[in-house]
């Protein structure tokens, strides 16, 4: 019964997340009313995203390495949407990663910005698609294999939320496998 309750809880979380992504993919482009900016600690939002994904991380035998240079990394932001970005990037690392994914999260700040770097040991993104991954509904073609479910909204959502925060998001493949997303939030 415990296993079934856990699976049910995970499925409800997934469906809730999916609905939020669909709704949020529409809102950031068309309305600034979707955002309620306040002072938030980025470190706490990353911790909350990691806690939300703890069952998935355990199930995939994932290793998380979260390093935070500052004790606090406070920015003027919309907490729910920013936490959604972190959730999305970690979840993508789990979905597209190899067995026992390794995810590295580095948080640092300068006098002008807070920088979050998410890296994983997954397959990376084919170079010909790097420039398209933030487009709405874009998914990297995988032939007839569809082992990862999705609608191509997650990274577009990340991009749209970062734009609403006057921040940036970039991606690059790592030389050893995997990819790295860099998010920059203005102070």
């Amino acid at each position: 019964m415990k296993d079934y309750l856990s699976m049910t809880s995970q499925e409800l979380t997934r469906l809730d997340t999916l609905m939020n992504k669909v709704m949020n993919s529409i809102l950031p482009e068309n309305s600034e009313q979707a955002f309620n900016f306040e002072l938030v600690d980025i470190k706490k939002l990353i911790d909350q995203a990691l806690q939300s994904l703890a069952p998935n991380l355990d199930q995939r035998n994932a290793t998380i390495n979260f390093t935070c240079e500052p004790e606090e990394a406070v920015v003027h932001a919309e907490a729910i949407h920013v936490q959604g970005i972190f959730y999305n990037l970690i979840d993508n690392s789990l979905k597209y990663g190899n067995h026992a994914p390794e995810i590295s999260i580095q948080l640092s700040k300068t006098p002008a910005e807070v920088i979050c770097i998410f890296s994983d040991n997954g397959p990376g993104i084919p170079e010909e698609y790097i420039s398209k991954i933030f487009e709405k509904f874009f998914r990297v073609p995988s032939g007839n294999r569809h082992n990862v479910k999705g609608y191509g909204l997650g990274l577009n959502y990340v991009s749209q939320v970062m734009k609403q925060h006057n921040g940036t998001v970039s991606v690059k493949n790592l030389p050893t496998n995997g990819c790295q997303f860099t998010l920059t939030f203005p102070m």
Side-chain angles (χ1 to χ4, degrees), residues 92-112:
N92 279 356
S93 291
L94 290 174
K95 288 193 297 190
Y96 295 101
N98 302 325
H99 179 68
E102 295 175 16
I103 302 167
S104 172
I105 305 168
Q106 298 171 322
L107 184 61
S108 62
K109 74 178 185 179
T110 69

Side-chain angles (χ1 to χ4, degrees), residues 30-164:
N30 300 324
S31 172
E32 291 189 23
Q33 296 174 1
F35 292 88
N36 180 25
F37 288 91
E38 59 187 340
L39 291 176
V40 295
D41 185 355
I42 296 294
K43 181 182 184 302
K44 287 182 182 178
L45 296 179
I46 293 171
D47 283 333
Q48 290 169 356
L50 289 169
Q51 287 174 355
S52 295
L53 285 163
N56 300 26
L57 292 165
D58 290 342
Q59 185 179 22
R60 290 292 313 276
N61 197 27
T63 302
I64 300 289
N65 180 20
F66 180 21
T67 57
C68 182
E69 179 185 299
E71 282 187 38
E72 286 187 329
V74 177
V75 297
H76 197 241
E78 209 308 337
I80 302 257
H81 287 287
V82 173
Q83 185 180 9
I85 288 174
F86 302 148
Y87 185 98
N88 183 278
L89 292 174
I90 297 164
D91 188 50
N92 279 356
S93 291
L94 290 174
K95 288 193 297 190
Y96 295 101
N98 302 325
H99 179 68
E102 295 175 16
I103 302 167
S104 172
I105 305 168
Q106 298 171 322
L107 184 61
S108 62
K109 74 178 185 179
T110 69
E113 56 196 17
V114 171
I115 303 159
C116 302
I117 300 174
F118 288 79
S119 306
D120 64 36
N121 66 336
I125 301 165
E127 287 298 326
E128 63 266 27
Y129 301 118
I130 287 273
S131 64
K132 296 181 179 193
I133 64 163
F134 295 113
E135 293 176 10
K136 189 181 274 188
F137 303 118
F138 180 79
R139 294 194 65 202
V140 173
S142 60
N144 287 332
R145 288 186 14 231
H146 298 287
N147 56 341
V148 177
K149 295 178 182 178
Y151 299 98
L153 294 173
L155 292 177
N156 177 261
Y157 171 67
V158 170
S159 174
Q160 292 299 321
V161 171
M162 290 307 295
K163 284 179 189 170
Q164 290 291 333

